[in-house]
């Protein structure tokens, strides 16, 4: 199954590279605004309103990932993943920082996304999140998500509150619908998907 997942990842990354190279001027801004609107729809459907006490947990997008900067700009503070120490070494367990607009973003390791310089919090920080917006490479109608392969979210999501919905952000063609993805015991299904064109609520069984 791991080999099958790796071949899917390679296929999707290759398509992302082609898509990124062919983007026209202005497409990035339209995508950012559309994702923000679709995320607001998701919050309405799930009846969630992030606050300072129960913030949005999200991610800072890397190159060739959907641009959720418009979403991040709408909430303050936001829980962001911390994957590396300031010297660039990878942290063994998931960590978070409660990022405010005035905090500095740094990128100590180019393999990982930018992260906040706010004080690092433990994995249990996710318990306060009202909603979790995560990256991915593909999602199917059963809520199975294909990630980058590091298992970061598989470990982190164990600490979220049961009532907090998990929403994956992917490109339109990465929603597989009835074309089911391989799922392993540790894979935690997502509750919804946003793409640049729509929000999809998933009925997880």
């Amino acid at each position: 199954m791991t080999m099958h997942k790796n071949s899917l990842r390679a296929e999707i990354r290759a398509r992302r590279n082609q898509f990124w190279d062919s983007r026209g001027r202005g497409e990035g801004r339209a995508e950012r605004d559309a994702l923000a609107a679709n995320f607001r729809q998701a919050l309405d459907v799930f009846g969630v309103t992030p606050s300072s006490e129960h913030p949005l947990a999200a991610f800072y997008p890397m190159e060739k990932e959907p641009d959720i900067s418009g979403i991040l700009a709408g909430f303050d503070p936001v829980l962001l993943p911390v994957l590396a120490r300031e010297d660039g070494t990878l942290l063994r367990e998931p960590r978070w920082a409660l990022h405010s607009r005035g905090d500095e973003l740094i990128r100590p390791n180019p393999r990982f996304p930018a992260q906040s310089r706010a004080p690092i919090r433990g994995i249990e920080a996710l318990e306060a999140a009202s909603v979790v917006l995560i990256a991915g490479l593909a999602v199917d109608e059963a809520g199975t998500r294909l990630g980058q392969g590091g298992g970061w979210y598989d470990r982190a999501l164990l600490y979220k509150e049961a009532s907090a919905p998990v929403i994956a952000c992917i490109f339109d063609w990465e929603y597989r619908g009835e074309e089911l993805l391989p799922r392993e015991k540790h894979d935690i299904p997502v509750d919804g998907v946003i793409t640049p064109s729509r929000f999809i609520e998933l009925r997880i069984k």
Side-chain angles (χ1 to χ4, degrees):
M1 185 176 292
T2 298
M3 290 185 64
H4 182 37
K5 282 187 172 183
N6 287 340
S7 65
L8 285 172
R9 290 185 182 105
E11 172 191 321
I12 294 166
R13 288 168 181 153
R15 184 163 181 183
R16 281 191 175 187
N17 288 339
Q18 294 175 349
F19 168 73
W20 212 259
D21 292 342
S22 65
R23 283 162 70 95
R25 181 177 296 179
E27 286 186 88
R29 177 176 294 181
E31 171 194 294
R32 180 193 65 201
D33 293 345
L35 286 168
N38 293 336
F39 184 66
R40 288 193 295 272
Q41 180 187 356
L43 294 182
D44 289 343
V45 169
F46 288 121
V48 176
T49 304
S51 65
S52 58
E53 292 80 15
H54 299 286
L56 162 68
F59 64 97
Y60 197 86
M62 293 186 67
E63 298 84 359
K64 301 176 184 177
E65 287 186 324
D67 183 3
I68 67 163
S69 61
I71 295 173
L72 297 177
F75 301 94
D76 189 27
V78 177
L79 275 172
L80 291 179
V82 177
L83 280 77
R85 299 180 179 89
E86 290 204 18
D87 64 2
T89 57
L90 180 65
L91 291 166
R92 290 193 169 195
E93 294 296 328
R95 296 288 185 268
W96 299 89
L98 190 61
H99 179 73
S100 297
R101 291 195 184 103
D103 295 336
E104 181 183 1
L105 285 170
I106 59 173
R107 194 170 182 182
N109 190 317
R111 293 173 49 220
F112 309 124
Q115 58 191 48
S116 179
R117 290 194 81 168
I120 295 177
R121 301 185 176 209
I123 192 171
E124 68 281 355
L126 192 61
E127 294 174 356
S130 59
V131 57
V132 187
L133 179 63
I134 65 176
L137 292 172
V139 178
D140 65 25
E141 68 175 10
T144 304
R145 167 187 159 272
L146 181 69
Q148 295 287 357
W152 196 92
Y153 279 112
D154 295 322
R155 301 192 302 276
L157 290 176
L158 294 172
Y159 287 81
K160 79 172 190 71
E161 283 293 319
S163 60
V166 180
I167 302 168
C169 181
I170 55 177
F171 290 109
D172 290 298
W173 66 85
E174 293 166 354
Y175 177 64
R176 298 295 178 108
E178 296 180 355
E179 183 185 345
L180 299 182
L181 295 163
R183 181 187 288 189
E184 298 179 74
K185 289 183 179 180
H186 62 263
D187 291 330
I188 296 176
V190 302
D191 303 292
V193 175
I194 60 167
T195 76
S197 72
R198 57 181 172 161
F199 158 65
I200 306 162
E201 183 183 8
L202 302 175
R203 301 292 183 178
I204 308 303
K205 297 180 180 179

